[in-house]
């Protein structure tokens, strides 16, 4: 099926209004944000997360207040938000000195 509607939103823009988009792309994967995205998602819509993933333990960057999670932590957040992981894929051809980047498709 072709993508009918795409909404790219930042965390502060996500609310409980039922937009019913086919796909929502968010820059933050906190459970509360994902729960709000799920409310406005159409019945066959998708949420796509693209994020840096650490292999061993959560890494907090005090300089920009960001936190890099493990894949298992990400999946636990998706589960707590009531979402199903449809697909997971690692970005290829990425520099070895950077965190691996994964894309998660949720429904």
């Amino acid at each position: 099926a072709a993508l009918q509607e795409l909404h790219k939103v930042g965390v502060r823009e996500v609310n409980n209004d039922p937009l019913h988009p086919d796909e929502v792309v968010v820059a933050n994967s906190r459970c509360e944000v994902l729960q709000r995205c799920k409310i406005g998602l159409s019945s066959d819509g998708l949420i796509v997360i693209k994020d840096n993933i650490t292999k061993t333990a959560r890494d907090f960057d005090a300089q920009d207040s960001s936190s890099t999670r493990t894949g298992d932590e990400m999946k636990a957040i998706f589960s707590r938000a009531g979402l199903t992981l449809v697909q997971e894929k690692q970005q290829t051809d990425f520099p070895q000195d950077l965190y691996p980047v994964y894309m998660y498709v949720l429904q």
Side-chain angles (χ1 to χ4, degrees):
L3 183 64
Q4 300 297 315
E5 193 175 348
L6 172 67
H7 292 266
K8 288 185 177 182
V9 296
V11 172
R12 290 180 178 86
E13 299 172 62
V14 176
N15 57 41
N16 291 335
D17 296 335
L19 299 172
H20 299 291
D22 295 315
E23 182 173 1
V24 175
V25 180
V26 294
N28 188 303
S29 52
R30 294 185 319 204
C31 185
E32 312 83 54
V33 173
L34 292 174
Q35 288 170 330
R36 293 195 316 250
C37 288
K38 182 180 176 187
I39 290 170
L41 201 61
S42 64
S43 61
D44 60 347
L46 301 170
I47 297 172
V48 179
I49 303 288
K50 182 176 180 179
D51 211 344
N52 298 328
I53 300 298
T54 182
K55 293 186 185 273
T56 55
R58 183 182 294 201
D59 187 17
F60 180 74
D61 185 338
Q63 187 174 12
D64 67 1
S65 298
S66 67
S67 182
T68 304
R69 298 175 179 91
T70 66
D72 287 342
E73 286 177 303
M74 295 294 284
K75 292 172 190 170
I77 291 169
F78 304 153
S79 179
R80 282 196 314 272
L83 294 162
T84 302
L85 180 61
V86 176
Q87 188 172 4
E88 170 185 355
K89 186 172 183 174
Q90 182 176 359
Q91 184 170 329
T92 57
D93 300 324
F94 213 65
Q96 293 296 318
D97 58 333
L98 298 176
Y99 288 114
V101 174
Y102 278 78
M103 289 147 286
Y104 300 96
V105 179
L106 310 167
Q107 196 166 43

